[in-house]
Amino acid sequence: MSTYSGLVERQKAFFSKGKTKDIHFRKEALSKLRSLIKRHERELMDALKRDLNKSEFEAYLTEIGVVLSELNFTEKHLGKWTKPRKVKSTVTMAGSKSYIYPEPYGVALIISPWNYPFQLAIAPLIGAIAAGNCAILKPSELTPATSGLLAEMVGKTFSEDYIAVVEGGAETSQGLLDSNVDYIFFTGSVPVGKIIMEAAAKNLTPVTLELGGKSPCIVHSDANLELAAKRIAWGKYINAGQTCVAPDYLYVEKSIKDKFIRLLGEAVSTIYGLAPQEGDTFTRIVSKRHFDRLGSFLTNGRVLFGGRQNPEQLLIEPTAIDNVDWDSPVMQEEVFGPILPVLEYDSLSEVVTKVNDRAKPLALYLFSESKEVQKEILAKISFGGGCINDTVMHLASPYLPFGGVGESGIGAYHGKGSFDVFSHEKSIMKQTTKFDLPFRYQHTKDALRKIKLFL
Ligand code: NAD
């Protein structure tokens, strides 16, 4: 019996009353969530500032704003999504009608990371509510101000039997995982993802795993280099590179490397300003451990731009390094910080081989004007999702399910995807009683011959 079995049991009891399945109840919960976020916008920004030194602009763009638009989209489409979907029936089933009924799993456990501590807890919660589940949120212990605020906000708005926030670290997660929930939605690192899946296997609990990895950013010589530099600078260094889909490393065609690095450096100083390691608006590294880990990468190669650090404030300047190879420590793990290793290539086939030699990435970005080049990369490399001629933006579309493949994750959410991951699709055939086709019964005359003909 885990410490949290009581909470899970109470939520299961509440779920079994059927209230959460009522569409009006779901809509009301989503609307309460919206007012809650709007009312606490100021406190949320303050908490994100305290936890990660996030600027108000980034806090709104990547946390509060994204969640509000996900809410809008969900509320707008919920009525349609919850309806049973009629599908075709085969000729052999003449007289019947077939439907898919989406139904909630029950109690959903949402375990979230620290890098977007508000968005990555609340965006899945929207899906869980929309699909009619009860939910338990376990935010990251590394962002305590946001986690505490989430607990307070949710606690005063929703009954714990319906939605609860449980604060704590790995042990708390383990306790929750031991309490036999009906669905697990995990966002975090690959090693912890494996622990989660192992725990889920004990009760055959279905999971979504939103993980990470090394997402390549390929710049081909025919790309619009100025625009590429601007879009890569933005996507790599937003949130100080602590974004699961940030370009992890730059893979640039040799002939344009020097020119491109110059443009990238210029774009970085335009967007983030000079010496952001001294400023007040650049996101900081979440912990001393991560700061030291990232600092050690700086000696892996030659610093092309950036490189200055501020240990007191845990700030690292947007940085690019070259003279690294596939065996350098910076290329052995997800960077997850404002350091961009730069590798160069001569041919596209080399890119395909090198990327495919490693775990399937969560994201891939390709900058090229050529349809042929785009086609080749899309056809030959498997990855979660990504952009052609942009970075990170695919994640912002409710029409594009977001998730990984292979080591970068299982399942995808956002928009209808969020409703779908938290719903079981129950397939139902409604049979006619007006007649009964005889072919399935073996006692009928010439049964085998007829069934062969019929099927
Ligand atoms: P993490 O895996 O260390 O922690 C994530 C959550 O799991 C936290 O709530 C933590 O308390 C909990 N946890 C930690 N150890 C645990 C254990 N042994 N058992 C059970 N629970 C445990 O990840 P993180 O450092 O918070 O986040 C960074 C990672 O998350 C990166 O790899 C990043 O790519 C990934 N990420 C992925 C996405 C995505 O949507 N795919 C989004 C953000 C971050």
Side-chain angles (χ1 to χ4, degrees):
M1 207 50 183
S2 127
T3 331
Y4 301 102
S5 301
L7 172 64
V8 173
E9 285 314 313
R10 285 201 307 282
Q11 288 213 347
K12 284 190 176 180
F14 182 70
F15 178 75
S16 68
K17 289 184 183 150
K19 245 179 151 176
T20 64
K21 294 184 183 170
D22 176 357
I23 178 89
H24 301 293
F25 182 87
R26 302 186 206 188
K27 282 190 172 161
E28 200 188 309
L30 292 172
S31 144
K32 276 187 190 167
L33 188 59
R34 166 201 307 289
S35 337
L36 188 63
I37 296 167
K38 288 201 162 158
R39 263 203 324 277
H40 289 83
E41 191 178 307
R42 179 73 267 148
E43 286 111 300
L44 276 167
M45 286 190 172
D46 291 345
L48 292 164
K49 183 82 186 166
R50 279 208 296 286
D51 281 334
L52 290 157
N53 196 41
K54 280 198 198 205
S55 67
E56 291 193 359
F57 176 77
E58 279 200 16
Y60 195 83
L61 177 73
T62 65
E63 304 253 21
I64 301 167
V66 191
V67 163
L68 288 175
S69 45
E70 183 81 8
L71 262 170
N72 281 346
F73 190 83
T74 307
E75 285 180 302
K76 192 166 158 213
H77 297 280
L78 190 62
K80 195 168 75 210
W81 296 343
T82 49
K83 289 208 176 83
R85 278 193 330 270
K86 189 160 190 245
V87 293
K88 287 184 180 173
S89 293
T90 63
V91 197
T92 51
M93 291 170 186
S96 73
K97 288 181 183 153
S98 300
Y99 299 88
I100 295 170
Y101 284 72
E103 66 171 19
Y105 284 100
V107 176
L109 170 61
I110 297 167
I111 301 176
S112 50
W114 52 263
N115 59 334
Y116 291 93
F118 177 70
Q119 188 217 135
L120 297 174
I122 301 298
L125 177 66
I126 295 170
I129 294 175
N133 296 274
C134 294
I136 299 173
L137 300 187
K138 208 299 283 167
S140 171
E141 69 282 17
L142 294 184
T143 37
T146 311
S147 167
L149 181 60
L150 277 175
E152 186 198 318
M153 285 165 64
V154 168
K156 67 182 180 198
T157 309
F158 297 103
S159 126
E160 212 189 43
D161 296 352
Y162 174 38
I163 301 170
V165 174
V166 177
E167 291 188 84
E171 271 182 28
T172 307
S173 265
Q174 298 280 350
L176 288 162
L177 290 167
D178 283 343
S179 33
N180 201 7
V181 293
D182 301 297
Y183 198 88
I184 300 168
F185 188 103
F186 171 78
T187 307
S189 61
V190 174
V192 179
K194 291 179 182 171
I195 296 173
I196 303 291
M197 195 152 170
E198 212 176 309
K202 282 191 203 131
N203 295 311
L204 292 178
T205 311
V207 290
T208 297
L209 300 177
E210 293 282 341
L211 310 178
K214 292 187 82 64
S215 300
C217 181
I218 303 158
V219 183
H220 205 58
S221 55
D222 66 347
N224 177 334
L225 296 185
E226 278 188 28
L227 207 50
K230 206 164 129 196
R231 291 177 178 169
I232 294 170
W234 175 78
K236 171 67 189 180
Y237 301 109
I238 194 164
N239 208 33
Q242 301 168 116
T243 304
C244 55
V245 287
D248 184 273
Y249 61 94
L250 190 68
Y251 209 6
V252 54
E253 196 171 351
K254 205 174 187 169
S255 60
I256 50 142
K257 182 186 152 198
D258 291 343
K259 180 178 178 196
F260 187 68
I261 294 300
R262 184 175 51 74
L263 290 170
L264 187 63
E266 285 167 12
V268 167
S269 56
T270 307
I271 300 172
Y272 296 99
L274 294 170
Q277 89 284 4
E278 288 169 8
D280 198 31
T281 55
F282 197 63
T283 302
R284 71 168 172 84
I285 307 306
V286 69
S287 67
K288 176 84 170 64
R289 184 174 75 80
H290 279 292
F291 181 84
D292 292 342
R293 180 183 67 82
L294 289 162
S296 75
F297 291 152
L298 293 173
T299 56
N300 284 196
R302 174 179 64 148
V303 171
L304 294 165
F305 59 77
R308 288 176 294 177
Q309 307 172 54
N310 180 334
E312 284 80 46
Q313 292 182 44
L314 301 182
L315 288 164
I316 301 178
E317 207 173 11
T319 301
I321 55 174
D322 72 351
N323 288 354
V324 290
D325 59 33
W326 294 95
D327 297 322
S328 308
V330 72
M331 291 305 293
Q332 301 306 305
E333 60 181 273
E334 184 179 1
V335 176
F336 220 57
I339 297 170
L340 182 68
V342 180
L343 299 168
E344 54 190 52
Y345 65 86
D346 288 311
S347 71
L348 219 52
S349 61
E350 189 185 335
V351 172
V352 171
T353 311
K354 290 291 188 192
V355 175
N356 281 341
D357 274 352
R358 277 141 196 97
K360 292 180 182 177
L362 178 60
L364 181 144
Y365 306 110
L366 169 67
F367 287 83
S368 168
E369 293 296 306
S370 154
K371 290 245 163 29
E372 287 311 305
V373 171
Q374 297 174 6
K375 221 163 114 186
E376 182 166 349
I377 294 294
L378 291 186
K380 293 187 175 165
I381 303 178
S382 173
F383 51 94
C387 307
I388 306 274
N389 293 323
D390 208 342
T391 63
V392 180
M393 290 303 287
H394 63 299
L395 179 136
S397 167
Y399 299 103
L400 290 173
F402 167 67
V405 56
E407 263 211 10
S408 53
I410 297 174
Y413 75 130
H414 288 177
K416 179 157 188 298
S418 297
F419 177 85
D420 290 342
V421 288
F422 287 102
S423 301
H424 161 64
E425 295 206 322
K426 196 191 247 171
S427 295
I428 295 297
M429 191 180 79
K430 290 190 181 170
Q431 185 61 281
T432 180
T433 51
K434 296 211 164 56
F435 56 88
D436 188 27
L437 293 176
F439 310 106
R440 72 170 110 167
Y441 303 110
Q442 61 178 354
H443 68 274
T444 54
K445 190 162 175 270
D446 280 339
L448 181 61
R449 190 183 59 80
K450 281 183 189 155
I451 199 75
K452 280 186 172 173
L453 214 78
F454 198 57
L455 288 178

XYZ file of all heavy atoms in Angstrom, residues 156-234:
588
model
N -7.418 25.422 -4.230
C -8.561 26.247 -3.820
C -9.677 26.255 -4.871
O -10.721 26.846 -4.643
C -8.117 27.661 -3.443
C -7.598 28.504 -4.552
C -7.146 29.852 -3.991
C -6.620 30.711 -5.107
N -5.805 31.812 -4.676
N -9.444 25.610 -5.992
C -10.457 25.648 -7.051
C -11.149 24.306 -7.283
O -12.332 24.255 -7.602
C -9.800 26.113 -8.377
O -9.087 27.292 -8.092
C -10.798 26.370 -9.465
N -10.379 23.234 -7.139
C -10.952 21.921 -7.433
C -10.908 21.033 -6.183
O -9.972 21.157 -5.376
C -10.160 21.226 -8.549
C -10.201 21.963 -9.855
C -9.115 22.716 -10.284
C -11.336 21.924 -10.656
C -9.152 23.408 -11.490
C -11.382 22.608 -11.867
C -10.291 23.356 -12.288
N -11.901 20.166 -6.078
C -11.872 19.215 -4.968
C -10.737 18.225 -5.231
O -10.498 17.827 -6.383
C -13.230 18.504 -4.891
O -13.041 17.123 -4.923
N -10.041 17.835 -4.172
C -8.902 16.923 -4.310
C -9.315 15.569 -4.888
O -8.515 14.855 -5.478
C -8.264 16.735 -2.930
C -6.787 16.511 -3.014
C -6.175 16.116 -1.679
O -6.771 15.276 -0.958
O -5.103 16.629 -1.389
N -10.586 15.248 -4.695
C -11.078 13.974 -5.241
C -11.148 14.013 -6.766
O -11.297 12.988 -7.427
C -12.492 13.675 -4.719
C -12.486 13.487 -3.216
O -11.391 13.432 -2.639
O -13.582 13.402 -2.631
N -11.087 15.234 -7.301
C -11.170 15.385 -8.760
C -9.791 15.717 -9.342
O -9.267 14.994 -10.192
C -12.206 16.468 -9.079
C -12.331 16.850 -10.527
C -12.232 15.898 -11.549
C -12.566 18.175 -10.895
C -12.348 16.270 -12.887
C -12.698 18.546 -12.224
C -12.576 17.585 -13.214
O -12.693 17.950 -14.531
N -9.203 16.828 -8.878
C -7.863 17.199 -9.353
C -6.997 17.550 -8.147
O -7.384 18.389 -7.326
C -7.915 18.410 -10.309
C -8.800 18.087 -11.515
C -6.514 18.783 -10.791
C -9.101 19.288 -12.387
N -5.842 16.912 -8.061
C -4.953 17.173 -6.927
C -3.540 17.451 -7.423
O -3.131 16.944 -8.474
C -4.942 15.966 -5.995
N -2.821 18.278 -6.683
C -1.403 18.478 -6.963
C -0.632 17.877 -5.793
O -0.913 18.187 -4.641
C -1.063 19.982 -7.098
C 0.450 20.184 -7.250
C -1.786 20.589 -8.287
N 0.297 16.998 -6.100
C 1.133 16.427 -5.049
C 2.557 16.894 -5.308
O 3.126 16.626 -6.362
C 1.064 14.879 -5.070
C 2.002 14.298 -4.013
C -0.361 14.400 -4.840
N 3.116 17.650 -4.359
C 4.470 18.169 -4.542
C 5.501 17.189 -4.004
O 5.246 16.487 -3.029
C 4.609 19.488 -3.792
C 3.813 20.622 -4.400
C 4.157 21.922 -3.706
O 5.165 22.535 -4.108
O 3.439 22.301 -2.775
N 6.679 17.180 -4.646
C 7.763 16.328 -4.153
C 8.658 15.875 -5.289
O 8.429 16.218 -6.452
N 9.669 15.094 -4.938
C 10.647 14.656 -5.935
C 10.438 13.219 -6.378
O 9.299 12.728 -6.430
N 11.561 12.544 -6.650
C 11.499 11.186 -7.200
C 10.725 10.221 -6.289
O 9.945 9.403 -6.776
C 12.919 10.677 -7.433
N 10.935 10.372 -4.974
C 10.256 9.432 -4.059
C 8.738 9.589 -4.115
O 7.988 8.613 -4.050
C 10.718 9.665 -2.627
C 11.939 8.854 -2.293
C 12.373 9.058 -0.852
O 11.526 9.368 0.004
O 13.587 8.934 -0.618
N 8.319 10.850 -4.211
C 6.874 11.123 -4.314
C 6.330 10.488 -5.591
O 5.283 9.834 -5.588
C 6.634 12.653 -4.317
O 7.286 13.184 -3.183
C 5.180 13.004 -4.313
N 7.080 10.676 -6.691
C 6.688 10.060 -7.970
C 6.543 8.560 -7.806
O 5.564 7.953 -8.252
C 7.804 10.239 -9.003
O 7.612 11.338 -9.786
N 7.536 7.967 -7.149
C 7.535 6.506 -6.971
C 6.299 6.068 -6.186
O 5.636 5.100 -6.537
C 8.790 6.051 -6.208
C 10.093 6.358 -6.930
C 10.397 5.352 -8.025
O 9.731 4.327 -8.120
N 11.372 5.643 -8.869
N 5.995 6.835 -5.124
C 4.823 6.513 -4.316
C 3.550 6.558 -5.153
O 2.682 5.689 -5.058
N 3.458 7.591 -5.992
C 2.266 7.729 -6.837
C 2.202 6.595 -7.862
O 1.138 6.057 -8.164
C 2.270 9.087 -7.534
C 1.979 10.281 -6.615
C 2.422 11.597 -7.248
C 0.481 10.352 -6.285
N 3.374 6.236 -8.392
C 3.413 5.165 -9.394
C 2.999 3.823 -8.797
O 2.500 2.952 -9.505
C 4.828 5.044 -9.985
C 5.272 6.190 -10.887
C 6.769 6.117 -11.139
C 4.529 6.165 -12.221
N 3.216 3.693 -7.472
C 2.856 2.431 -6.806
C 1.369 2.340 -6.496
O 0.919 1.338 -5.952
C 3.623 2.303 -5.472
C 5.061 1.909 -5.711
O 5.354 1.443 -6.820
O 5.886 2.103 -4.791
N 0.621 3.425 -6.770
C -0.767 3.394 -6.287
C -1.813 3.088 -7.364
O -2.967 3.452 -7.228
C -1.103 4.663 -5.517
O -0.431 5.750 -6.033
N -1.357 2.437 -8.405
C -2.282 1.877 -9.388
C -3.266 2.867 -10.016
O -4.487 2.699 -9.930
C -3.045 0.700 -8.747
C -3.603 -0.231 -9.810
O -3.310 -0.076 -11.007
N -4.428 -1.174 -9.403
N -2.722 3.898 -10.629
C -3.572 4.845 -11.357
C -3.989 4.221 -12.694
O -3.505 3.149 -13.059
C -2.830 6.189 -11.606
C -2.580 6.918 -10.294
C -1.544 5.977 -12.372
N -4.864 4.905 -13.428
C -5.368 4.317 -14.680
C -4.613 4.774 -15.925
O -4.725 4.171 -16.991
C -6.854 4.666 -14.847
C -7.672 4.144 -13.697
O -7.708 2.914 -13.526
O -8.226 4.955 -12.928
N -3.886 5.894 -15.788
C -3.105 6.375 -16.930
C -1.915 7.167 -16.403
O -2.041 7.875 -15.398
C -3.955 7.281 -17.854
C -3.333 7.417 -19.221
C -3.620 6.491 -20.218
C -2.403 8.424 -19.493
C -2.998 6.565 -21.455
C -1.784 8.505 -20.735
C -2.092 7.578 -21.711
O -1.475 7.641 -22.941
N -0.786 7.042 -17.079
C 0.394 7.824 -16.666
C 0.866 8.661 -17.847
O 1.122 8.124 -18.935
C 1.548 6.904 -16.193
C 1.090 6.065 -14.990
C 2.776 7.732 -15.819
C 2.049 4.941 -14.629
N 0.954 9.961 -17.603
C 1.463 10.878 -18.615
C 2.735 11.487 -18.044
O 2.702 12.275 -17.101
C 0.431 11.977 -18.902
C 0.808 12.845 -20.068
C 0.207 12.683 -21.304
C 1.775 13.837 -19.928
C 0.569 13.489 -22.391
C 2.138 14.636 -21.004
C 1.533 14.457 -22.237
N 3.863 11.114 -18.620
C 5.150 11.552 -18.073
C 5.894 12.434 -19.062
O 6.032 12.097 -20.239
C 6.022 10.331 -17.749
C 7.442 10.690 -17.380
C 7.747 11.176 -16.113
C 8.472 10.582 -18.301
C 9.046 11.534 -15.764
C 9.782 10.935 -17.967
C 10.065 11.404 -16.695
N 6.403 13.563 -18.594
C 7.300 14.384 -19.397
C 8.607 14.495 -18.630
O 8.609 14.899 -17.462
C 6.737 15.798 -19.614
O 5.410 15.679 -20.134
C 7.575 16.584 -20.603
N 9.704 14.138 -19.265
C 10.992 14.230 -18.586
C 12.080 13.533 -19.372
O 11.983 13.380 -20.598
N 13.092 13.105 -18.657
C 14.286 12.578 -19.321
C 14.110 11.105 -19.734
O 13.245 10.393 -19.207
C 15.475 12.690 -18.374
O 15.217 11.924 -17.219
N 14.975 10.663 -20.624
C 14.918 9.277 -21.114
C 15.163 8.273 -19.968
O 14.376 7.326 -19.814
C 15.911 9.071 -22.291
C 15.973 7.604 -22.702
C 15.531 9.958 -23.471
N 16.207 8.468 -19.137
C 16.425 7.467 -18.069
C 15.226 7.348 -17.125
O 14.830 6.232 -16.763
C 17.654 7.994 -17.310
C 18.322 8.929 -18.250
C 17.276 9.480 -19.153
N 14.627 8.478 -16.740
C 13.468 8.392 -15.832
C 12.260 7.816 -16.595
O 11.478 7.049 -16.040
C 13.162 9.757 -15.166
C 11.940 9.656 -14.256
C 14.359 10.249 -14.355
N 12.155 8.121 -17.878
C 11.086 7.546 -18.702
C 11.099 6.016 -18.628
O 10.049 5.366 -18.561
N 12.305 5.454 -18.607
C 12.412 3.980 -18.535
C 11.917 3.472 -17.184
O 11.250 2.431 -17.111
C 13.870 3.546 -18.766
C 14.305 3.788 -20.208
C 15.735 3.383 -20.448
C 16.121 3.698 -21.893
N 17.537 3.537 -22.180
N 12.222 4.232 -16.116
C 11.757 3.840 -14.768
C 10.231 3.885 -14.729
O 9.565 3.015 -14.183
C 12.355 4.800 -13.698
C 13.884 4.652 -13.660
C 11.739 4.557 -12.329
C 14.594 5.665 -12.773
N 9.666 4.914 -15.352
C 8.204 5.083 -15.356
C 7.543 3.913 -16.082
O 6.570 3.331 -15.614
C 7.807 6.419 -16.061
C 8.462 7.637 -15.398
C 6.290 6.570 -16.178
C 7.995 8.012 -14.033
N 8.128 3.552 -17.223
C 7.517 2.479 -18.015
C 7.592 1.147 -17.273
O 6.661 0.337 -17.340
C 8.196 2.385 -19.371
C 7.383 1.573 -20.316
S 7.663 2.078 -21.983
C 6.815 0.775 -22.836
N 8.690 0.961 -16.554
C 8.835 -0.273 -15.775
C 7.761 -0.326 -14.686
O 7.132 -1.370 -14.478
C 10.218 -0.288 -15.141
C 10.790 -1.671 -14.998
C 12.211 -1.601 -14.451
O 13.037 -0.840 -15.011
O 12.465 -2.297 -13.449
N 7.567 0.819 -14.021
C 6.560 0.869 -12.948
C 5.167 0.634 -13.542
O 4.340 -0.072 -12.963
C 6.624 2.209 -12.237
N 4.916 1.213 -14.715
C 3.601 1.078 -15.353
C 3.337 -0.368 -15.763
O 2.199 -0.842 -15.715
C 3.526 1.985 -16.578
N 4.420 -1.056 -16.123
C 4.267 -2.439 -16.600
C 3.672 -3.345 -15.519
O 2.948 -4.291 -15.832
C 5.623 -2.982 -17.060
N 3.972 -3.025 -14.241
C 3.479 -3.882 -13.139
C 1.968 -4.029 -13.172
O 1.415 -5.077 -12.870
C 3.896 -3.288 -11.795
C 5.328 -3.558 -11.465
C 5.626 -3.192 -10.015
C 7.117 -2.939 -9.875
N 7.440 -1.708 -9.194
N 1.273 -2.937 -13.497
C -0.198 -2.997 -13.535
C -0.732 -2.872 -14.959
O -1.913 -2.626 -15.163
C -0.789 -1.867 -12.681
C -0.447 -2.030 -11.219
O -0.616 -3.106 -10.666
N 0.066 -0.979 -10.607
N 0.171 -2.962 -15.934
C -0.189 -2.741 -17.344
C -0.919 -1.413 -17.525
O -1.909 -1.331 -18.257
C -1.047 -3.893 -17.882
C -0.316 -5.225 -18.012
C -1.268 -6.296 -18.515
C 0.864 -5.113 -18.979
N -0.426 -0.393 -16.847
C -1.041 0.937 -16.977
C -0.555 1.577 -18.275
O 0.651 1.600 -18.537
C -0.622 1.827 -15.784
O -0.831 1.084 -14.591
C -1.402 3.125 -15.744
N -1.484 2.093 -19.095
C -1.032 2.736 -20.335
C -0.255 4.025 -20.043
O -0.524 4.703 -19.055
C -2.330 3.042 -21.079
C -3.412 2.956 -20.060
C -2.930 2.082 -18.942
N 0.713 4.331 -20.898
C 1.561 5.514 -20.672
C 1.694 6.386 -21.911
O 1.601 5.901 -23.037
C 3.021 5.127 -20.290
C 3.098 4.518 -18.914
C 3.658 4.225 -21.330
N 1.914 7.658 -21.658
C 2.472 8.543 -22.675
C 3.808 8.981 -22.116
O 3.896 9.369 -20.941
C 1.586 9.790 -22.889
O 0.318 9.372 -23.385
C 2.208 10.744 -23.902
N 4.853 8.884 -22.911
C 6.173 9.324 -22.459
C 6.655 10.424 -23.386
O 6.893 10.182 -24.569
C 7.165 8.159 -22.473
C 6.841 6.945 -21.588
C 7.895 5.847 -21.769
C 6.759 7.340 -20.116
N 6.745 11.629 -22.839
C 7.252 12.763 -23.614
C 8.689 12.976 -23.163
O 8.938 13.555 -22.101
C 6.403 14.017 -23.325
C 4.977 13.934 -23.832
C 4.876 14.178 -25.335
O 5.810 14.754 -25.929
O 3.861 13.779 -25.925
N 9.632 12.489 -23.936
C 11.023 12.474 -23.480
C 11.880 13.473 -24.266
O 11.349 14.387 -24.894
C 11.570 11.045 -23.582
C 10.677 9.972 -22.933
C 11.264 8.588 -23.118
C 10.449 10.255 -21.452
N 13.169 13.274 -24.232
C 14.045 14.256 -24.899
C 15.035 13.574 -25.806
O 14.736 12.542 -26.400
N 16.215 14.147 -25.890
C 17.258 13.578 -26.744
C 17.979 14.676 -27.503
O 17.784 15.860 -27.221
N 18.794 14.265 -28.455
C 19.582 15.252 -29.196
C 18.919 15.560 -30.535
O 18.913 14.726 -31.431
C 21.001 14.714 -29.422
C 21.801 14.597 -28.117
C 23.247 14.224 -28.336
C 24.152 15.385 -28.703
N 24.295 16.399 -27.666
N 18.350 16.746 -30.632
C 17.630 17.132 -31.847
C 18.543 17.906 -32.806
O 19.000 19.004 -32.479
C 16.418 17.998 -31.483
O 15.548 17.281 -30.640
N 18.809 17.330 -33.981
C 19.726 18.002 -34.909
C 19.097 19.197 -35.614
O 17.886 19.221 -35.851
C 20.050 16.922 -35.946
C 19.157 15.787 -35.681
C 18.301 16.073 -34.504
N 19.950 20.151 -35.952
C 19.498 21.299 -36.742
C 20.442 21.390 -37.938
O 21.630 21.703 -37.784
C 19.570 22.546 -35.876
S 19.002 23.993 -36.731
N 19.902 21.061 -39.101
C 20.741 20.945 -40.300
C 20.600 22.205 -41.148
O 19.489 22.621 -41.481
C 20.286 19.711 -41.117
C 20.351 18.455 -40.236
C 21.089 19.544 -42.390
C 19.471 17.310 -40.708
N 21.735 22.788 -41.494
C 21.685 23.978 -42.359
C 22.426 23.659 -43.651
O 23.645 23.467 -43.659
C 22.299 25.212 -41.656
C 22.172 26.439 -42.558
C 21.607 25.466 -40.326
N 21.645 23.586 -44.732
C 22.217 23.252 -46.036
C 22.646 24.545 -46.731
O 22.114 25.624 -46.436
C 21.147 22.504 -46.860
C 21.743 21.627 -47.900
N 22.629 20.610 -47.599
C 21.584 21.595 -49.251
C 22.989 20.007 -48.719
N 22.367 20.593 -49.732
N 23.568 24.410 -47.695
C 24.164 25.619 -48.295
C 23.143 26.471 -49.047
O 23.351 27.675 -49.218
C 25.298 25.225 -49.230
O 24.808 24.316 -50.175
N 22.034 25.873 -49.492
C 21.068 26.655 -50.267
C 20.005 27.323 -49.378
O 19.026 27.871 -49.877
C 20.378 25.759 -51.304
C 19.511 24.694 -50.651
O 19.636 24.500 -49.414
O 18.726 24.053 -51.357
N 20.216 27.280 -48.062
C 19.196 27.856 -47.157
C 19.225 29.380 -47.207
O 20.229 29.980 -47.597
C 19.467 27.393 -45.734
N 18.112 29.976 -46.799
C 18.091 31.424 -46.578
C 18.833 31.639 -45.252
O 18.266 31.499 -44.169
C 16.635 31.894 -46.486
C 16.524 33.373 -46.178
O 17.423 33.963 -45.582
N 15.420 33.968 -46.571
N 20.112 31.957 -45.356
C 20.977 31.896 -44.170
C 20.619 32.929 -43.106
O 20.695 32.648 -41.907
C 22.443 32.029 -44.574
C 22.990 30.882 -45.452
C 24.487 31.052 -45.684
C 22.720 29.518 -44.842
N 20.240 34.128 -43.543
C 19.923 35.156 -42.532
C 18.721 34.768 -41.694
O 18.717 34.890 -40.469
C 19.688 36.502 -43.209
C 21.006 37.152 -43.488
C 20.897 38.583 -43.995
O 19.906 39.254 -43.659
O 21.817 38.976 -44.734
N 17.705 34.288 -42.400
C 16.485 33.878 -41.697
C 16.755 32.650 -40.832
O 16.278 32.548 -39.685
C 15.401 33.578 -42.738
C 13.963 33.763 -42.289
C 13.760 35.117 -41.635
C 13.041 33.618 -43.506
N 17.552 31.732 -41.377
C 17.898 30.521 -40.616
C 18.598 30.930 -39.318
O 18.279 30.424 -38.238
C 18.792 29.616 -41.444
N 19.536 31.860 -39.422
C 20.296 32.290 -38.235
C 19.347 32.852 -37.177
O 19.441 32.518 -35.996
C 21.325 33.335 -38.639
N 18.408 33.684 -37.630
C 17.470 34.309 -36.695
C 16.586 33.255 -36.013
O 16.404 33.272 -34.794
C 16.589 35.260 -37.519
C 16.010 36.397 -36.758
C 15.521 37.434 -37.763
C 14.099 37.834 -37.478
N 13.473 38.513 -38.604
N 16.063 32.347 -36.805
C 15.121 31.354 -36.256
C 15.843 30.323 -35.373
O 15.264 29.827 -34.410
C 14.359 30.670 -37.402
C 13.411 31.657 -38.059
C 12.670 31.093 -39.243
N 11.752 32.086 -39.781
C 11.113 31.974 -40.932
N 11.294 30.897 -41.690
N 10.301 32.920 -41.333
N 17.085 30.025 -35.717
C 17.841 29.071 -34.881
C 18.254 29.758 -33.573
O 18.153 29.168 -32.496
C 19.065 28.514 -35.644
C 18.593 27.654 -36.830
C 19.959 27.697 -34.715
C 19.673 27.246 -37.812
N 18.696 31.004 -33.691
C 19.094 31.743 -32.476
C 17.919 31.791 -31.500
O 18.064 31.561 -30.300
C 19.542 33.156 -32.836
N 16.742 32.052 -32.023
C 15.550 32.124 -31.159
C 15.248 30.761 -30.520
O 15.125 30.639 -29.306
C 14.345 32.615 -31.980
C 13.088 32.594 -31.182
C 12.701 33.502 -30.242
C 12.066 31.583 -31.223
N 11.505 33.131 -29.692
C 11.088 31.962 -30.271
C 11.880 30.416 -31.958
C 9.938 31.190 -30.048
C 10.743 29.653 -31.732
C 9.780 30.053 -30.784
